[in-house]
Amino acid sequence: MLAAGKAIFFDGVTSAKRLVLIELAPDVLVIRDEEHRDVLAHWRYDRLDQIAAPSGLLRLGEIGAVIPARLEVRDPALASAIDEASVPVDRSGAREQRSRLKVIGWSVVAVVVLVLAAVFGVPALADKIAPLVPLRAERWLGEAVDGQVRKMLDTGSANRPFECGGGAGEGPGRAALGKLVGKLEKAAALSVPLDTKVVRRSEANAVALPGGHIYVFEGLLVKSESADEVAGIIAHEIGHVAHRDGMRSLLQSAGLSFMFGMLLGDFVGGTAVVIGARAVLRSSYTREVESAADRYAVDLMNRAGGDQRALAVVLNRIAGAIHPGMEILRDHPDTQARVKLINDLATASAPQPLLEPSEWAALKRICTGR
Amino acid sequence: MTAVTSFDAAPTDPPPVPPANGVVFNGAESPFWRLLARGAALLLVTLGIYRFWLQTDVRRFLWNNTEIAGDYLEYIGTARELLLGFLVAIVFLGPLYAIFGLASLAAQWLQQLAGLFSLVALAVLGQFAVYRARRYRLSRTVYRGIRFHQTGSAWRYAICAMFWWGMIGMTLGLAYPWAQASLERFKMRNTFYGDLRGEFIGSGTRLFFRGVLLWFVVVAPFVLGLIVAGAMFDGTLVGEAAKQGTRSGTNALDAAGTGPAAAAAILGTIWLVVAVAVLYPTFQAMVLRWWISGLRFGELTATSHLRTGTVYRLYWRFAWMSLVLALVVGVVGFFAAKVVFGADTSAGGQRMPFEVVEISLAIGFYVITALAYSTIYQATVKLPFWRHGFESAELKNVEVLDRVRAAPATGSPVGEGFADALHVGGI
């Protein structure tokens, strides 16, 4: 084993390059100036820090030193001698590899935890937090969201107001709507006042926003054949309001966006993961939410004295017109599953229609006025 | 102490020092490709968490293979520092994003304002992060045992940068030379190698005169096209016709010269895009040459001999490699889609897990393509730029580097963390 050799030393105080002689003493490396042979430094073997360097060069520093003094060894024999004498120095790179594998392992674990947190943790957290949000705050949020949603939905067709029931001949329709919703509201006994409107959109759909806003689309009225069917849909939306689904969905969305958006950082392609994750996860959350709203609707229709199966009937009719497609991305679970659930839950009853025939006829005309 | 007779019979002496006025880059391409490819695979598996380690590896490769006057640069930053900086940045940015989100839900007028305000705020924060990240990288660079460091206020830099970028926008790009000169001066005057202060003497005016022809060729036809389009298109005719109805509307549009006007505008835009694509390497080479030649450290001067042809060659290589990647992705994607979507005949309850597979496949495909593209870019553009930028520099008065003393300073990795969290990248 070599006991000495030549190297280059930078003392970290000035940039002068010193040619030095290295001596391998039992516990330390002795660094001597080549010319004057005076000792410049003693470096202990167990405190040697191997620093990344181009191949063929062994670059050494001291662990924990503030001043970056450097020893550069190009002599291969001397380098192997130091490698053998010092534990921290490992030119084979095995140590580095092991620690890197640990990093990778922990990163994969972190990813798994992240995904689990997204799938289970975020909805659970949203469920816990949503009821804690004060009603006034939710109403304030509802107003803001309402404004945005109106802008999104209002197609501004042909100079007619977005909301039905205000124009000539539309008054009876509005009164009928008020009576229908009133019956449901009384049976529901919510702490949030409802604000239900029929709006000019051709889709057969209805939406509920945080704060008690419910929009029924004109297309739904067109496709419905009885007041109880419309009531069933509205009861479903009231279910969303009662469960504060709007708030929960907002919290989940924010949580997911934060988690995937921020934590992935400057990751190439990260945005795609964020969007994809949100789409897939959000839709699976909403399945459960929609089922819960269906259950609520059946119960509410029972309490209001209406036909519990009407919702299933109208869903079936509407679904017949929808093309099958990317099922998981549609926010409502498979229609057949919903129909079955509703019919299973419905109890035997002798319902009275919730509106008189004349009122129903008026409601059908709430947007057209004639 | 034992006798020192063995010293005089040392087997090898240190290798001869290469020419003192040169910078040599010793890193070969294939180890770099391997590094990047392995890094990309790990990025995929760890959803990006591995990026701190990859970035550290890349920097170590670039720094450690750069030889200036016989000695190598050294990068002493660690991935742990980057991770920590990122986490700290999140602590600040998380609430900030939350506030922006809430603000955007508020009243209508506040929404518009909030959108604009957040854009400006993020731009300023981005420049702040860029300056801090530079500070971190400098403070983790060691040469001959002496650290670099950077002083100066990042907020001041951010404001300056915003001002100059505003000017560049307003002058359609003409202010760029002076903007760069001013910002580089700010950065270099605050850059130190030990106690040796940096300086930037590049002249904005000189760069302007070198580049104004380029600007003219790119921008002038585009502006001309817009002006011609505006002149040919008579707006009032269309306004009147709109009141009368659709029939006379189309006639009025013809009479108003919409066809030729649109053609002029489109031609102008096409020219802009093509000219930028073709001339961008020339522009980049010009600016890089000017920048390197303007750097000073005390008496140490640099002159760049970077050839424009070199830049074109490296972009050409990048272009055809990207094309090959696109072709491969297209073909593989086509067949994969046929297999996956073709097998999708199940209905009802079976659908959900299958669709998760479909979506994951689509996302995975996109991410892999993005990673491959990024890998190609780093290996064919970034590495050659680093190599050629350094090797084309001719240094004078290199002896200045022998007499530098260390100065005490550190840079926190939080700046780097901000840059990562704000998606403002760098080398």
Side-chain angles (χ1 to χ4, degrees):
Chain A
M1 181 174 120
L2 198 65
K6 287 190 181 173
I8 293 176
F9 183 67
F10 297 107
D11 61 6
V13 175
T14 71
S15 59
K17 186 193 307 226
R18 320 277 289 263
L19 296 172
V20 293
L21 303 167
I22 305 293
E23 243 176 65
L24 279 84
D27 293 316
V28 294
L29 219 56
V30 182
I31 303 172
R32 284 173 186 279
D33 182 82
E34 193 180 24
E35 243 184 271
H36 307 293
R37 303 291 164 102
D38 54 319
V39 174
L40 295 175
H42 293 268
W43 282 6
R44 295 169 51 110
Y45 291 127
D46 55 1
R47 301 198 52 74
L48 282 181
D49 187 11
Q50 182 184 7
I51 295 164
S55 54
L57 178 71
L58 176 64
R59 191 185 258 159
L60 299 169
E62 271 192 296
I63 295 178
V66 173
I67 298 175
R70 295 286 181 256
L71 189 64
E72 293 190 354
V73 180
R74 283 178 165 83
D75 173 1
L78 179 59
S80 9
I82 297 176
D83 189 356
E84 272 197 51
S86 163
V87 173
V89 175
D90 179 8
R91 288 184 313 151
S92 68
R95 263 176 163 242
E96 174 74 31
Q97 260 216 13
R98 269 200 303 274
S99 94
R100 189 57 67 92
L101 278 174
K102 262 204 274 189
V103 162
I104 296 170
W106 280 110
S107 299
V108 172
V109 168
V111 167
V112 171
V113 168
L114 250 173
V115 170
L116 287 176
V119 173
F120 298 112
V122 170
L125 210 67
D127 284 350
K128 289 270 151 54
I129 295 179
L132 298 176
V133 176
L135 282 172
R136 266 184 52 198
E138 181 164 346
R139 286 248 293 283
W140 172 83
L141 203 69
E143 295 307 322
V145 177
D146 186 46
Q148 271 198 342
V149 169
R150 257 180 196 269
K151 270 174 71 173
M152 266 189 345
L153 295 180
D154 190 355
T155 54
S157 53
N159 301 324
R160 303 180 78 185
F162 183 48
E163 193 176 327
C164 296
E170 296 174 359
R174 195 150 60 130
L177 180 71
K179 180 173 169 196
L180 189 65
V181 176
K183 284 191 176 179
L184 292 172
E185 239 180 309
K186 202 155 148 248
L190 296 175
S191 39
V192 179
L194 292 173
D195 173 25
T196 312
K197 307 179 255 287
V198 177
V199 292
R200 287 194 167 81
R201 274 193 79 91
S202 52
E203 298 92 349
N205 205 350
V207 291
L209 303 177
H213 297 275
I214 296 178
Y215 287 91
V216 179
F217 293 0
E218 186 183 356
L220 193 68
L221 284 182
V222 167
K223 278 238 147 65
S224 309
E225 290 176 4
S226 81
D228 284 44
E229 290 179 3
V230 177
I233 302 267
I234 295 180
H236 172 99
E237 298 306 324
I238 294 177
H240 285 315
V241 175
H243 297 151
R244 305 187 74 173
D245 288 337
M247 198 66 224
R248 283 197 292 162
S249 152
L250 210 72
L251 288 172
Q252 281 171 4
S253 186
L256 274 183
S257 291
F258 174 79
M259 264 180 49
F260 282 109
M262 290 226 68
L263 295 188
L264 286 186
D266 198 7
F267 170 42
V268 175
T271 320
V273 177
V274 175
I275 294 174
R278 276 177 61 182
V280 172
L281 292 173
R282 277 250 310 268
S283 288
S284 68
Y285 299 154
T286 55
R287 272 165 197 270
E288 296 164 30
V289 155
E290 295 298 328
S291 294
D294 283 338
R295 267 176 235 271
Y296 184 93
V298 173
D299 178 60
L300 183 59
M301 286 299 276
N302 191 16
R303 283 186 279 149
D307 180 3
Q308 295 163 60
R309 292 190 165 74
L311 178 58
V313 169
V314 69
L315 282 178
N316 239 337
R317 195 181 310 128
I318 294 172
I322 296 179
H323 306 294
M326 282 292 242
E327 239 278 340
I328 197 171
L329 288 183
R330 268 197 289 150
D331 282 346
H332 285 222
D334 194 16
T335 309
Q336 292 308 313
R338 286 182 80 190
V339 166
K340 184 168 184 304
L341 176 76
I342 292 167
N343 284 328
D344 286 346
L345 284 174
T347 55
S349 57
Q352 296 278 36
L354 290 172
L355 286 183
E356 303 297 320
S358 57
E359 289 170 327
W360 169 234
L363 182 56
K364 272 282 229 184
R365 292 192 320 260
I366 190 174
C367 290
T368 56
R370 278 176 279 104
Chain B
M1 289 262 48
T2 52
V4 293
T5 47
S6 51
F7 285 159
D8 304 307
T12 48
D13 284 339
V17 178
N21 61 353
V23 182
V24 183
F25 183 74
N26 291 313
E29 265 213 18
S30 29
F32 195 60
W33 273 106
R34 273 200 300 276
L35 175 70
L36 287 176
R38 198 188 65 158
L42 286 168
L43 276 181
L44 185 66
V45 165
T46 60
L47 282 192
I49 296 179
Y50 190 73
R51 66 185 179 278
F52 307 112
W53 285 267
L54 179 61
Q55 224 174 17
T56 307
D57 284 346
V58 166
R59 286 184 199 163
R60 279 202 193 130
F61 182 91
L62 291 175
W63 268 240
N64 289 333
N65 284 310
T66 306
E67 189 184 328
I68 302 175
D71 291 306
Y72 292 94
L73 281 180
E74 186 187 322
Y75 181 71
I76 59 170
T78 66
R80 201 167 299 174
E81 285 177 332
L82 295 182
L83 176 61
L84 216 71
F86 171 71
L87 292 175
V88 172
I90 293 247
V91 167
F92 283 103
L93 286 179
L96 208 67
Y97 276 133
I99 291 174
F100 280 152
L102 280 176
S104 72
L105 281 180
Q108 301 290 55
W109 63 270
L110 197 59
Q111 254 180 50
Q112 264 47 332
L113 209 64
L116 183 66
F117 176 72
S118 66
L119 255 169
V120 172
L122 282 177
V124 172
L125 264 180
Q127 292 300 318
F128 170 87
V130 162
Y131 193 77
R132 288 293 217 105
R134 185 176 187 274
R135 191 175 109 171
Y136 170 77
R137 266 170 249 152
L138 275 176
S139 74
R140 298 303 185 267
T141 305
V142 171
Y143 176 67
R144 291 185 180 172
I146 307 287
R147 274 186 232 254
F148 283 80
H149 69 274
Q150 177 180 292
T151 55
S153 155
W155 288 118
R156 209 173 129 204
Y157 177 78
I159 308 285
C160 279
M162 290 304 296
F163 164 73
W164 277 112
W165 281 101
M167 295 295 294
I168 290 174
M170 286 201 296
T171 58
L172 291 182
L174 279 176
Y176 183 83
W178 291 282
Q180 282 300 98
S182 168
L183 291 174
E184 284 305 315
R185 263 198 305 274
F186 185 95
K187 286 193 274 191
M188 286 310 292
R189 280 189 192 151
N190 282 306
T191 303
F192 288 82
Y193 171 55
D195 62 352
L196 187 62
R197 182 184 216 159
E199 176 60 85
F200 184 75
I201 62 159
S203 154
T205 317
R206 205 162 291 160
L207 181 64
F208 174 77
F209 281 117
R210 269 187 225 159
V212 68
L213 190 64
L214 223 63
W215 177 89
F216 197 73
V217 167
V218 168
V219 175
F222 172 66
V223 172
L224 198 69
L226 288 181
I227 292 176
V228 166
M232 287 204 283
F233 185 76
D234 190 354
T236 52
L237 279 180
V238 181
E240 280 177 29
K243 291 188 199 147
Q244 291 168 20
T246 45
R247 258 294 192 63
S248 47
T250 35
N251 292 339
L253 280 176
D254 282 335
T258 318
I266 290 175
L267 275 175
T269 315
I270 291 180
W271 174 269
L272 182 73
V273 171
V274 168
V276 166
V278 168
L279 290 176
Y280 185 70
T282 312
F283 169 74
Q284 235 186 338
M286 181 190 315
V287 174
L288 198 57
R289 257 199 308 271
W290 168 81
W291 178 66
I292 293 174
S293 305
L295 295 174
R296 295 285 178 270
F297 270 105
E299 297 288 316
L300 176 71
T301 73
T303 312
S304 174
H305 299 290
L306 181 70
R307 314 280 306 269
T308 309
T310 314
V311 178
Y312 271 103
R313 263 198 300 279
L314 70 88
Y315 271 119
W316 175 247
R317 199 157 152 246
F318 167 66
W320 73 253
M321 276 196 150
S322 303
L323 205 67
V324 169
L325 174 72
L327 277 169
V328 168
V329 166
V331 168
V332 172
F334 177 71
F335 283 112
K338 278 189 82 169
V339 165
V340 170
F341 289 101
D344 180 7
T345 49
S346 61
Q350 314 293 64
R351 287 189 81 90
M352 189 171 133
F354 197 81
E355 282 169 10
V356 174
V357 168
E358 283 176 357
I359 294 179
S360 316
L361 220 67
I363 295 178
F365 221 77
Y366 174 78
V367 171
I368 290 175
T369 309
L371 281 175
Y373 181 79
S374 158
T375 302
I376 292 179
Y377 181 79
Q378 292 211 57
T380 57
V381 176
K382 272 199 176 158
L383 179 66
F385 257 117
W386 181 279
R387 174 208 302 277
H388 292 296
F390 269 107
E391 288 190 338
S392 71
E394 181 196 333
L395 303 176
K396 289 207 174 68
N397 303 324
V398 162
E399 346 38 274
V400 165
L401 294 176
D402 296 335
R403 298 187 294 267
V404 176
R405 298 195 67 86
T410 49
S412 102
V414 175
E416 192 74 43
F418 267 104
D420 182 280
L422 287 172
H423 305 210
V424 183
I427 291 260

